[in-house]
Every structure is written in structure tokens, then in C-alpha cells.
Amino acid sequence: MRSKDNVDLICDIAELAGLFERSSSLGDFLDTATSIIAWHMKAAVCSIYLFDEDSQELVLRATQGLGPAAVGRVRLALGEGITGLALKELRPICEANGSRNPNFKYIPGILEEQYEAFLAVPILRGLARIGVLVAQDPEPNYFDENDVKALRAIAGQLATTIENANLLMSIHEASRLPQPPPKELPRFIKGKTVSEGIAQGKASIIGMIDDEALRAFDEDPTPRTLDDFHRALKETEDQLAELQKELEERLSDVASLIFNAHLLILKDEEFSGAIERMIVGGAPPQKAVSSVVHRYINLFAKSPNPRLREKVLDLKDLGHRLLLNLMSHDPALADYEGRIIIARELLPSDLLKLAAQRTAGLVLLSGSITSHVAILARSLRIPTVLVENDDLLEFAEDRNLLIDALQGTLFIEPEKDVLDSYTRLIDEQRRLEQLDPVVKSETYSADGVRVRLYANINLLSDIDHAVRLKAEGIGLYRSEFPFIVRDNFPSEEEQYRIYSRIVERLPGRPITLRTLDVGGDKALPYAHSTNEANPFLGLRAIRFSLRNRAIFAQQLRAMLRAGAEHPVRIMFPLISSLDDFTNACSIVRDCMAELEAEKIPHNSQPELGLMVELPSAIEMIDDLCREADFISIGTNDLIQYMLAVDRTNEEVSDLYQPYHPAVLRALHKIAEAAMRHGIDASICGDAAADPHMTAFLLGCGIRTFSVDARHIPAIQRTISETNIEEVRLTAAQAIRLNRIAEIAEYFGVRDGG
Ligand code: PEP
Ligand code: MG
């Protein structure tokens, strides 16, 4: 018997893995690997088969001993032959006489039948099937237990390298294959409503635009000149300045300098100079623009500074606009006006830029309906759906789309009759919007109990709707949006102006200003570390404010000043302990003392409250209620943290359950504690607007609801039909239920929520 050196072999494997980097090609790497293994095992044949996930076949990729012509040609289904069986059953197979195994597969032309001993070991990474390592020899019964162990060890060590090689090969192969014909998208896709409304228009895909999208402009056959470029530059600048002006009029609280990065790049001599030099040197202007824009995109995308990386979308947008202006004189073309935007993810500032351009609708491919981009889309009243279909990114550009963000449906190239019926619906909606809403200025239950309906406000523009729909106050102003869209903290004066405009629009009514709630899905690129592994568990909300006292104090001063003549309530988000709350209150008191000393008019008796959003706050609820003037339940976060389900992760959205018994019991407990201590408990998360929950919440003792203003009429109607005495009993019954489905049924939810 020839002596085998299995031990040496295993030792050499580390070197074998390094071989990948030294190999000139993937084939070369696999060839060398097979020849080294064959040599050490003193086996006549060593082969590597790799598993192709798409075709579910094993393909011979390298061999030492079988004819080279067999490489790429021999293909085995999972379970086919001894090799296929080893992979199917995820176990090594060692045969003394392979050809006698009933599973032996005769493959003509490779003369495999002359090799009797057969050892096949699957290459696995975890449970993922990567391929099979095969050793063969003419001498029957040539392989023993040690060989099996050795080959398993090799397969284990090579798995990652081989898997990477396999992936790379499949990429190269895919690029060599003729491109498949454009995929047919379905006629409609059922998704989720993020922001209600109906919109129709041609699709523009943004955010994922790869280099090709801009390069496509290179094919424009009309010759252009340096003068054309100068004209395009000027037009682009004018358009952006105009957009900025318009947006500041419409959304003064958040719009400041939103197109700043665009304008700065345009004015950057190096940017326009580089394009000019290329044009003077003979490059067609389109090419010059696209290549300089790409250079900048690459520079920005690779920057370690997250603020620069965030500007990549601005650059793409700018390149797009410059090129369109270069080729056409129609400024409308350069905008996304009337277009339906498809994006995988957007920053709040991107959304504002789209709103500035009067984008008709939005199709988001990731995120969730309680994410903050979704909240902003609702405030901007951009009909938005969330759908899971990545094919849209590839195949939907310029197609006609119709968004029904009432049902959460996206239609692709809708038929005429579908379009007609939606056009009628849009007209009807417009007509209804013109009518005075059927809503009373005070809300009572059927048995005459007074309930207050407040509005949630995200942008100043939301106040109009709150006033129109007779909100009795503001139960939640999310103060973070002006922070999120700027490149730096807004000053005390800027904040004071924003808060003043809110309180002035609803004089004498309670206005609840929530202090900064950033972090989580609302990171401030200029203030947050980018390496938080769990941003929702990181430096969020009140934690950020307590850690950044100067920023916090500025905001509190602005709030206190805006409340000089008005009843403001200051509310702290994400309070986890009595310490958080009392620390925050003591900073408010310091700010009041400062303002007093500076003789600046301010509110010296603001109500101070907190959001109940964390399990720890529920445990501490009695202590918190004893200290606070009011509490407000933020169910969006409360559900997330109680159930440990990321509110922005669509993958687990089925686990994000407002009807979870634990959530119901928590709500009941919080409301009872507030009643015991005689303080106001409101609810301001999305559950407040769920009509299925209204009776339960009333039954628990909640008497203040804060919702997006558009929900006020429906909630008012439900309350006016509810008898409080009755629902007190049903709420007590509901918290005894211990199944989500039972609760959903109890609440009369037909589809289980
Ligand atoms: C909540 O968490 O329910 C809430 C109202 O606050 P936000 O959605 O802004 O986190
Ligand atoms: Mg919250």
C-alpha cells in the first residue's frame, strides 16, 4: 500500500487557503487545490464539484485525474450518483467498489469506471451546500476511516474559500450570459399603506441609480458645446434656488438650506472646472458631466465621513438634473414633478426634496409604516405604499404606475378602466376635501363623558389640518424634524420661531412640545456616532438630550419662551427611570432660572410630562405618575420595546402586535396608575387612531387621544357611540384574554389585525 500523508495534508491546508489570493484565476485555484490533495492522499483522482443554487446541480469544476474536457460538462442533480447523494444527505460516502454501488452513475467519456475506490465528502458551510470533494483510486477499498476524516477536515477548511470562489464564478458567468429579456412585472402588487392617497404617474427610480443610469445620457447623439454646458449650469442653479425658495414658503420649519449641498457643489470651481477642462479637451459635454459626477460620487461614497456619504443621492440628483438641462430646455423635465418615486430607502431630507419637486407618490421597498420617513410622508401628504418587490428597481423605470394608498396597492401599467375609476375616486376625494369636515369642537361619549381629541404634529404645515379638524390641542409635537433635515443644530432662535408659530395658531389650547427624539431611525448625521450596533438601544431621545446638556437647554429655553403667553406642556421621550425624568426636570428649572435672570419672558409654570414607551417605565409607573404633571403613552415604541420587535423592520412586522395581551395589560396598568394619581394620561402612538382599540382605551380610563388630525372625525364618531360604563367592563375582560387572535376577535378585527 502506498503511504498517505493525511496529517501533513491537513497541516498544509492553511497554505492552500492562502493559495486563493495567489492564484491567477478561480479555475487555477481549484486546479491547484485538487492536485495538492490528490498528491497528499496518493489518490489517482481528486475532483471538486460545486453546487449551483439556481439549477440545483453539482458541476465538476476542477479535477486531477479525470479528463480536463469533463470540467464544466459533468453535471449531477442533487442525489444523483454517489457524489450527488453525498451532498443530498450531507454525509461522506466511502465505497470500496464504487461501480457496484446502486447509486453509481456511469458518465460516458471520462473513464471514471476504472477507479474502484470512491470517497465523496460534502463541502458545507453551516448547512449551506457548497459542493463535494471527491477522491478516487483504481485500488479497491483504498480509502479508510483516516482518509474520510482527513478529507472532511479539508472540506471544512476550504468551505469558505470555495464558497467565495463559487460566488465569484457565478457572477462572471452571469455577465457572460446574454441578458435575460426584461422581466414582466405583475399587473399589481399588494403592499401596505404608508401615507394615504391616490397617485398616478411615470416611475422614477432613485437612490439605487447605478453608474449606468447616468452613462445612458452619453448616447445622446446631438453635439453639445461648452456654451450649452454653461447654460445648463445656470439653469440648474436657478431651478434649485427656486425650489429652495418655494419649499421655504411651504415648509419653513424644515426646509432651510435643504438644497444647500446641491448648490455648493454647483458652485465648486473644481467641479465645474473639471467638466469645462474635459469639454475644452474635446470630450462631449454629456460625457464630461457624467464622468466628473461619477468621480465625485465615488469620492463621496468612499468617504469615512457619514455626512459626505449621505450626499451621494444629492450628487446623483444633481448629475441627473445637469444632464437633462444640457439636453433640453424644459425645466419640468429635470424635476420629479408628477413622477412616482421608487426607492429602497430615503432620508427625511430626501423626502423633503421630493416634496419640493411635487412628486406625485412614493413606492418604498423597505422600512415600515411606523418608521419616521413614513411619518414624514404622511405629514407631507405624499401617497405612499410599501411593497416588497425588488424587481421594480430593475424594470419599472418610466413605466406608468398607479398608487392606491388607501388599499395599499400598486398598479403597473394599469388598464384604462382601472385608471378611469381611480380618476373618478380622486375627483371625489378632492370634492370631499373642499367640504367642511363633519366634526364637533368637543367630544363626548354616548353616556356624556368628556374626551379630548388632540392632534399629533410633525411639520408646521400639519397645524392647518389640526385647526380645520378642530383639534382641542396638540398632544405631540415631534420636534426632531427640523433637526433631522438640517446640517447642524437649529439655533435657539430658530426653534423659538417654530414653536411660537405652533402655539400662536391654537391660542389658549394645551400644546405638548416633545423634546428632541433623535437616534433610532432618526440619527443626526452631524451628531451621532455611526457605529452604534443597535441604534434603537443606543443614544436615543432623552438620553441624547441628557448627554448633550447645552443642546437640550437651548431647546428647553426655546420652548419656555414660546410658551410665555400660552399653556405649553413639555414632554420627555423614552423615559426609562425616575432619574431620567427628575434630571430632565431639573434642567428645565435651571433654564427657567436663567431666563428669569436674563429677564426674558417665558412660561414659569409649564406642565412637565413624559412618554411611557419602555417596559422599565411601566414597572416604575406609580413613581413616575407621582412626579409628573401628565403622561402620554407612545405605543409605537412601547410595542417595539415590550415585544422586542424592531418597528422599522418589515421582516418582523407580523410580530409587531398592538393586540398582544402584554401590550393590553400594560396599557391598562398605565392608565390605572394615572387615574390613581389624578394626572392626565393620553395616548399618542398609532394605536390611538385604531378604531378597534378605542373602546378598550376608553374602558381603561384614557380620556385624551392624540392622533394625526385626519383621524379625528372617525375617532370622534366611535367615541360618541361608546358607552363608558359598558366598556369599563369589556376592558377588564379583554385584559384577561391571553391570545392575540382572541383579542383581535374581541375587538372585532376581521383579518386578525
Ligand atoms: C410613539 O413611540 O408611539 C410615539 C408617538 O413617538 P414616535 O413615533 O415619534 O417614536
Ligand atoms: Mg416614540
PDB file of all heavy atoms in Angstrom, residues 514 517 540 613 637 647, ligand 2:
ATOM      1  N   ARG A 514     -42.750  67.949  22.497  1.00  0.00           N
ATOM      2  CA  ARG A 514     -41.866  66.869  22.933  1.00  0.00           C
ATOM      3  C   ARG A 514     -40.430  67.282  22.658  1.00  0.00           C
ATOM      4  O   ARG A 514     -40.127  67.798  21.588  1.00  0.00           O
ATOM      5  CB  ARG A 514     -42.180  65.586  22.160  1.00  0.00           C
ATOM      6  CG  ARG A 514     -41.192  64.483  22.515  1.00  0.00           C
ATOM      7  CD  ARG A 514     -41.566  63.173  21.902  1.00  0.00           C
ATOM      8  NE  ARG A 514     -41.206  63.106  20.501  1.00  0.00           N
ATOM      9  CZ  ARG A 514     -41.470  62.045  19.745  1.00  0.00           C
ATOM     10  NH1 ARG A 514     -42.109  61.016  20.244  1.00  0.00           N
ATOM     11  NH2 ARG A 514     -41.119  62.035  18.495  1.00  0.00           N
ATOM     12  N   ASP A 517     -36.313  63.840  19.982  1.00  0.00           N
ATOM     13  CA  ASP A 517     -36.309  62.369  19.987  1.00  0.00           C
ATOM     14  C   ASP A 517     -35.532  61.899  18.767  1.00  0.00           C
ATOM     15  O   ASP A 517     -36.100  61.509  17.754  1.00  0.00           O
ATOM     16  CB  ASP A 517     -37.755  61.849  19.950  1.00  0.00           C
ATOM     17  CG  ASP A 517     -37.822  60.328  20.054  1.00  0.00           C
ATOM     18  OD1 ASP A 517     -36.752  59.698  20.173  1.00  0.00           O
ATOM     19  OD2 ASP A 517     -38.923  59.770  20.001  1.00  0.00           O
ATOM     20  N   ARG A 540     -30.494  57.482  22.289  1.00  0.00           N
ATOM     21  CA  ARG A 540     -31.752  57.955  21.698  1.00  0.00           C
ATOM     22  C   ARG A 540     -32.464  58.907  22.628  1.00  0.00           C
ATOM     23  O   ARG A 540     -32.346  58.790  23.847  1.00  0.00           O
ATOM     24  CB  ARG A 540     -32.656  56.723  21.511  1.00  0.00           C
ATOM     25  CG  ARG A 540     -33.218  56.548  20.157  1.00  0.00           C
ATOM     26  CD  ARG A 540     -34.472  55.669  20.187  1.00  0.00           C
ATOM     27  NE  ARG A 540     -35.653  56.509  20.000  1.00  0.00           N
ATOM     28  CZ  ARG A 540     -36.884  56.020  19.842  1.00  0.00           C
ATOM     29  NH1 ARG A 540     -37.098  54.730  19.847  1.00  0.00           N
ATOM     30  NH2 ARG A 540     -37.890  56.845  19.665  1.00  0.00           N
ATOM     31  N   GLU A 613     -42.923  54.620  27.124  1.00  0.00           N
ATOM     32  CA  GLU A 613     -42.596  53.871  25.914  1.00  0.00           C
ATOM     33  C   GLU A 613     -41.736  52.651  26.208  1.00  0.00           C
ATOM     34  O   GLU A 613     -41.386  51.907  25.302  1.00  0.00           O
ATOM     35  CB  GLU A 613     -41.813  54.765  24.941  1.00  0.00           C
ATOM     36  CG  GLU A 613     -42.499  56.067  24.616  1.00  0.00           C
ATOM     37  CD  GLU A 613     -41.726  56.895  23.599  1.00  0.00           C
ATOM     38  OE1 GLU A 613     -40.823  57.647  23.999  1.00  0.00           O
ATOM     39  OE2 GLU A 613     -42.032  56.777  22.414  1.00  0.00           O
ATOM     40  N   ASP A 637     -43.387  52.948  20.154  1.00  0.00           N
ATOM     41  CA  ASP A 637     -42.179  52.421  20.780  1.00  0.00           C
ATOM     42  C   ASP A 637     -42.488  51.401  21.863  1.00  0.00           C
ATOM     43  O   ASP A 637     -41.751  50.435  22.041  1.00  0.00           O
ATOM     44  CB  ASP A 637     -41.345  53.559  21.375  1.00  0.00           C
ATOM     45  CG  ASP A 637     -40.482  54.205  20.313  1.00  0.00           C
ATOM     46  OD1 ASP A 637     -39.877  53.454  19.534  1.00  0.00           O
ATOM     47  OD2 ASP A 637     -40.444  55.438  20.239  1.00  0.00           O
ATOM     48  N   ARG A 647     -39.516  48.275  15.069  1.00  0.00           N
ATOM     49  CA  ARG A 647     -40.694  48.852  14.406  1.00  0.00           C
ATOM     50  C   ARG A 647     -40.444  49.216  12.950  1.00  0.00           C
ATOM     51  O   ARG A 647     -41.369  49.513  12.213  1.00  0.00           O
ATOM     52  CB  ARG A 647     -41.191  50.081  15.191  1.00  0.00           C
ATOM     53  CG  ARG A 647     -40.245  51.253  15.157  1.00  0.00           C
ATOM     54  CD  ARG A 647     -40.646  52.332  16.151  1.00  0.00           C
ATOM     55  NE  ARG A 647     -41.334  53.454  15.527  1.00  0.00           N
ATOM     56  CZ  ARG A 647     -41.624  54.590  16.156  1.00  0.00           C
ATOM     57  NH1 ARG A 647     -41.307  54.743  17.432  1.00  0.00           N
ATOM     58  NH2 ARG A 647     -42.226  55.566  15.551  1.00  0.00           N
TER      59      ARG A 647
HETATM   60 MG    MG B   2     -41.667  57.060  20.428  1.00  0.00          MG
END
